[in-house]
Amino acid sequence: MYFLGVVHANVISMLVVMGWLYLAVPARVCNSYLLSQQNALGRMMIALAIVLAAFWSLRLFVVGTTNKPADR
């Protein structure tokens, strides 16, 4: 269960880093995108990271606790 939190944190951080990279670099990073498409993709990656962080945090704090006994 703890491993899933590490994966979620890694996904969010990588989305933010890649989004920032696409926004900060003045040249094209990928030949498949125009510069305007690259900027839009960077904004979308950062927005997706914010949405995922909010969703996973809300799910963790609101729905995360149940009344089931721990399996030991």
Side-chain angles (χ1 to χ4, degrees):
M1 187 66 182
Y2 296 111
F3 179 72
L4 191 58
V6 172
V7 171
H8 286 167
N10 192 20
V11 166
I12 290 169
S13 64
M14 286 296 115
L15 278 172
V16 170
V17 167
M18 288 301 296
W20 171 77
L21 177 71
Y22 279 175
L23 287 174
V25 174
R28 287 172 39 183
V29 176
C30 180
N31 289 334
S32 299
Y33 301 118
L34 297 174
L35 196 56
S36 62
Q37 292 172 331
Q38 178 175 307
N39 288 335
L41 181 63
R43 282 190 222 99
M44 291 300 285
M45 284 182 169
I46 291 174
L48 180 62
I50 291 169
V51 168
L52 285 176
F55 173 73
W56 285 331
S57 297
L58 185 67
R59 195 174 84 183
L60 174 68
F61 290 115
V62 173
V63 186
T65 57
T66 60
N67 292 332
K68 292 189 305 185
D71 294 329
R72 291 185 184 198

